[in-house]
């Protein structure tokens, strides 16, 4: 599985419990983080310092979950656009890593009124790039042919797309056993997350709400698309 998102911490927030569970079950998981997160610091630090901190935190969070590798595309935080360069980075990762499943944040989710959540514009841009890369760009030989000619990255068909969307879901993952690791991976993002924060309480509440919908104590929920 390949997670394609905008920021260090997005995958732990959306899917950390599922990722830990899937890896326990034998999955190989990679991350592509499109921005460097360099505006995501609350304390006095330069963008370069924030970038280094956040990439180190992301690697530690991924290590806690058992993720095989993390790739960073290094676009500036809060400026991500769904342009050709970003799509090409997503296609490169898909053709290189050849995942059966890609996970991202649903770019059609602008907000969730129920949760008081506005979806960050970087999340939407990353989600759009991931969708476009899955279909049709990574699949098609004539899309980014230079990746084939210069980097020997052959076309690849992703079969399953998982989208994090607070407004709708058709696929639930019981994370009762892996919630502790999800929280530990979030706590690795020390510059962003504290265990007693409002965010931590929201994550617990959301996992319980998702669990209620599917008969589990705690769950993460996604839109799952089988790409035909
Ligand atoms: Zn984010």
């Amino acid at each position: 599985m390949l997670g394609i998102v905008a920021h260090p911490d997005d995958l732990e927030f959306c899917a950390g419990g599922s990722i830990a569970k899937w890896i326990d079950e034998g999955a190989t998981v990679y991350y592509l983080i499109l921005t460097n997160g360099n505006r995501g610091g609350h304390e006095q630090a330069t963008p370069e310092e924030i970038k280094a901190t956040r990439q180190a935190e992301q690697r530690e969070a991924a290590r806690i979950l058992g993720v095989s590798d993390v790739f960073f595309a290094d676009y500036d935080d809060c400026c991500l656009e769904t342009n050709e360069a970003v799509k090409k980075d997503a296609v490169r990762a898909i053709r290189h890593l050849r995942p059966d499943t890609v996970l991202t944040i649903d770019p059609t989710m602008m907000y969730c009124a129920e949760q008081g959540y506005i979806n960050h514009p970087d999340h939407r841009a990353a989600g759009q790039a991931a969708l476009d890369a899955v279909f049709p760009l990574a699949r098609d030989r004539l899309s980014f042919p230079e990746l084939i000619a210069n980097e020997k990255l052959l076309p690849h068909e992703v079969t399953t797309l998982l989208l994090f969307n607070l407004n709708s879901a058709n696929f639930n993952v019981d994370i009762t056993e892996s919630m502790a690791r999800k929280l530990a991976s979030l706590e690795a993002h020390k510059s962003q997350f504290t265990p007693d924060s409002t965010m931590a309480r929201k994550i617990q509440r959301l996992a319980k709400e998702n669990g209620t919908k599917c008969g589990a104590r705690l769950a993460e929920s996604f839109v799952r698309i089988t790409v035909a």
Side-chain angles (χ1 to χ4, degrees):
M1 195 210 79
L2 170 64
I4 301 176
V5 290
H7 305 126
D9 80 8
D10 289 348
L11 283 162
E12 286 76 27
F13 175 80
C14 298
S18 303
I19 288 167
K21 181 175 184 173
W22 294 329
I23 291 170
D24 280 352
E25 292 169 353
T28 303
V29 176
Y30 298 98
Y31 288 2
L32 172 62
I33 311 295
L34 289 166
T35 81
N36 52 33
N38 66 358
R39 293 192 191 172
H42 301 294
E43 293 171 17
Q44 299 295 326
T46 67
E48 276 304 309
E49 289 166 345
I50 295 170
K51 170 181 161 178
T53 297
R54 296 202 66 189
Q55 291 190 345
E57 289 171 350
Q58 178 62 92
R59 290 191 194 286
E60 175 59 11
R63 188 195 63 76
I64 288 167
L65 297 178
V67 171
S68 293
D69 208 350
V70 182
F71 301 86
F72 295 96
D74 205 21
Y75 294 94
D76 279 339
D77 200 4
C78 294
C79 307
L80 194 67
E81 294 177 349
T82 311
N83 58 29
E84 287 297 289
V86 174
K87 290 184 198 182
K88 185 173 178 177
D89 283 329
V91 168
R92 178 184 283 111
I94 289 170
R95 287 186 181 169
H96 172 53
L97 299 164
R98 311 189 80 71
D100 50 7
T101 300
V102 165
L103 188 154
T104 189
I105 297 177
D106 192 334
T108 69
M109 176 177 57
M110 191 76 81
Y111 56 84
C112 174
E114 205 176 300
Q115 301 283 349
Y117 179 85
I118 298 172
N119 196 14
H120 194 292
D122 286 353
H123 295 175
R124 286 184 268 128
Q128 183 72 59
L131 251 73
D132 293 357
V134 165
F135 181 87
L137 299 174
R139 184 200 65 170
D140 288 354
R141 184 176 56 85
L142 295 177
S143 300
F144 303 114
E146 68 276 18
L147 290 177
I148 302 174
N150 303 336
E151 302 179 39
K152 307 239 180 315
L153 295 174
L154 298 175
H156 177 69
E157 287 188 35
V158 172
T159 52
T160 304
L161 193 57
L162 290 173
L163 304 173
F164 176 80
N165 184 330
L166 289 166
N167 297 312
S168 66
N170 63 2
F171 179 65
N172 302 295
V173 180
D174 184 340
I175 62 160
T176 307
E177 300 293 321
S178 55
M179 184 65 169
R181 268 179 293 162
K182 175 184 175 108
L183 293 172
S185 72
L186 281 162
E187 286 170 29
H189 296 280
K190 288 189 175 66
S191 69
Q192 310 296 311
F193 184 88
T194 45
D196 56 353
S197 60
T198 308
M199 178 57 71
R201 284 191 288 278
K202 275 188 184 173
I203 287 167
Q204 292 276 7
R205 193 184 68 216
L206 183 62
K208 282 183 189 156
E209 288 172 8
N210 289 335
T212 304
K213 291 175 199 159
C214 66
R217 194 163 73 76
L218 301 167
E220 288 171 339
S221 301
F222 308 93
V223 176
R224 182 170 66 173
I225 301 168
T226 302
V227 185

